[in-house]
Amino acid sequence: MAELQEVQITEEKPLLPGQMPEAAKIHCVETPYGSVTFTVYGTPKPKRPAILTYHDVGLNYKSCFQPLFQFGDMQEIIQNFVRVHVDAPGMEEGAPVFPLGYQYPSLDQLADMIPCVLQYLNFSTVIGVGVGAGAYILSRYALNHPDTVEGLVLINIDPNAKGWMDWAAHKLTGLTSSIPEMILGHLFSQEELSGNSELIQKYRNIITHAPNLDNIELYWNSYNNRRDLNFERGGDITLKCPVMLVVGDQAPHEDAVMADSGGQPQLTQPGKLTEAFKYFLQGMGYMASSCMTRLSRSRTASLTSAASIDGNRSRSRTLSQSSESGTLSSGPPGHTMEVSC
Ligand code: BEZ
């Protein structure tokens, strides 16, 4: 019998006519580590957290999250939440290049800027959605301020500092590759890069010609100098909130649980991610089950795969949502949901 082949397709389902994107309000606040810009969509909803996003290196909130948040099926979810999209300093559109010698904040300091954003907006709790470096920053924020984080969606997080081997490999790559190529290698798998799809061409173009490339390099350096998040199984350092852990199937280090690079499912698989997010919010009591379409209900069970944050990743395509969530959250009411897409 012929074997079924998995084909990589970028999902597209733009807003329907009449579905106008909401107006954005751009704000900037001063923090002890410099100013930070963030963009707010929608209005605060009573008794609901804000959705707060943090983007990966080489991107800003728009290039990282627009395809997901403007995906057609996502609208029924996000209309129930105000959204706050943080741009790392110097990554916002039109950002001036920092002067030579500027001390860019560490990832821990970037996390420490978030309370200023929430204070300014007078928001008390959030559901964080972060990719790569952004996922690390939101995890650090959640460890420091557990009472303000109701849930976390972590896409391609690497919670560990670079080891000696990683540093050696990084230095070697740096001898022959430009900063844009290194960042593209962090965002996408080699397979994706050599496939050179329209998406890759688009992001290669964005990063290579970024007028703030020097700022991007500073964020990249902070990412590479991150320290361990030190999650401990059964220990004190755990995320207390429900976590949806997403690993791109294109991640080159698929066996390492957290992908250090590769695959941007929020760009290539917004439909799958939307379904999983809906399911995650439903688990938190924020989506009525009637909002789950029959298709959604049956497909959700097939799009998740079991994983754990400390390395025992199973490739079995089963739904994984548990309240016994190992190192990510320690007991009730936390739960983790692991998604591979
Ligand atoms: C939003 O509706 O939250 C959104 C719109 C455009 C880009 C990113 C997010």
Side-chain angles (χ1 to χ4, degrees):
M1 203 167 67
E3 263 188 42
L4 286 180
Q5 301 255 322
E6 265 195 53
V7 180
Q8 190 70 30
I9 305 170
T10 299
E11 300 179 23
E12 274 184 43
K13 192 170 184 185
L15 293 177
L16 296 169
Q19 274 184 303
M20 291 295 289
E22 286 169 284
K25 290 199 187 97
I26 303 172
H27 305 266
C28 185
V29 288
E30 286 304 320
T31 81
Y33 307 104
S35 58
V36 62
T37 301
F38 51 94
T39 308
V40 179
Y41 288 82
T43 49
K45 306 291 182 287
K47 299 200 179 131
R48 277 177 184 261
I51 292 175
L52 182 138
T53 71
Y54 217 115
H55 61 86
D56 204 351
V57 177
L59 307 174
N60 57 27
Y61 92 86
K62 246 190 211 166
S63 54
C64 190
F65 290 110
Q66 183 155 297
L68 177 63
F69 281 78
Q70 291 203 331
F71 190 73
D73 291 350
M74 190 67 163
Q75 304 315 301
E76 73 170 298
I77 300 178
I78 61 175
Q79 69 188 2
N80 298 306
F81 296 90
V82 62
R83 286 92 64 199
V84 184
H85 302 286
V86 180
D87 276 321
M91 306 304 139
E92 67 276 14
E93 269 174 13
V97 173
F98 290 121
L100 215 62
Y102 176 77
Q103 182 68 46
Y104 197 80
S106 66
L107 293 200
D108 291 358
Q109 290 171 333
L110 292 174
D112 284 342
M113 293 165 113
I114 294 174
C116 302
V117 173
L118 299 186
Q119 225 165 47
Y120 174 92
L121 293 168
N122 204 18
F123 292 169
S124 47
T125 63
V126 298
I127 294 172
V129 181
V131 184
Y136 179 106
I137 291 165
L138 292 182
S139 300
R140 173 69 69 202
Y141 171 73
L143 290 172
N144 292 345
H145 302 272
D147 296 343
T148 68
V149 183
E150 294 197 31
L152 276 180
V153 176
L154 304 176
I155 302 171
N156 288 348
I157 186 174
D158 186 342
N160 300 319
K162 274 186 182 296
W164 290 109
M165 294 290 278
D166 300 319
W167 268 114
H170 181 71
K171 288 284 170 222
L172 272 180
T173 315
L175 293 177
T176 52
S177 308
S178 62
I179 293 290
E181 282 306 319
M182 294 219 284
I183 293 172
L184 285 163
H186 159 76
L187 297 172
F188 300 101
S189 67
Q190 283 312 312
E191 199 183 323
E192 285 175 300
L193 290 172
S194 45
N196 205 24
S197 63
E198 266 184 38
L199 182 97
I200 296 296
Q201 290 174 39
K202 177 178 161 184
Y203 281 85
R204 179 172 276 131
N205 193 41
I206 289 176
I207 296 171
T208 310
H209 297 113
N212 61 340
L213 188 56
D214 289 352
N215 297 350
I216 294 175
E217 184 174 352
L218 295 176
Y219 186 22
W220 176 235
N221 291 342
S222 288
Y223 178 66
N224 288 312
N225 286 318
R226 70 192 180 276
R227 60 192 182 103
D228 271 354
L229 281 172
N230 276 325
F231 289 130
E232 285 171 9
R233 181 177 286 279
D236 289 341
I237 307 175
T238 55
L239 294 170
K240 310 288 187 225
C241 62
V243 176
M244 177 171 135
L245 195 55
V246 183
V247 182
D249 256 355
Q250 286 295 313
H253 315 297
E254 250 196 295
D255 294 336
V257 177
M258 305 296 99
D260 183 31
S261 60
Q264 294 289 305
Q266 81 286 3
L267 303 179
T268 57
Q269 305 283 332
K272 269 190 181 180
L273 217 48
T274 298
E275 280 189 38
F277 189 39
K278 207 188 275 187
Y279 196 84
F280 181 64
L281 290 173
Q282 192 195 18
M284 294 172 64
Y286 285 122
M287 290 291 293
S289 55
S290 58
C291 287
M292 302 288 286
T293 60
R294 203 154 47 85
L295 176 69
S296 164
R297 265 182 250 131
S298 61
R299 279 188 56 198
T300 305
S302 69
L303 61 79
T304 58
S305 77
S308 84
I309 203 161
D310 62 350
N312 303 318
R313 182 146 185 262
S314 150
R315 301 294 305 153
S316 61
R317 296 217 161 237
T318 53
L319 175 69
S320 171
Q321 192 171 35
S322 82
S323 55
E324 194 192 303
S325 45
T327 50
L328 270 176
S329 60
S330 60
H335 65 270
T336 58
M337 175 174 161
E338 291 115 10
V339 179
S340 161
C341 57

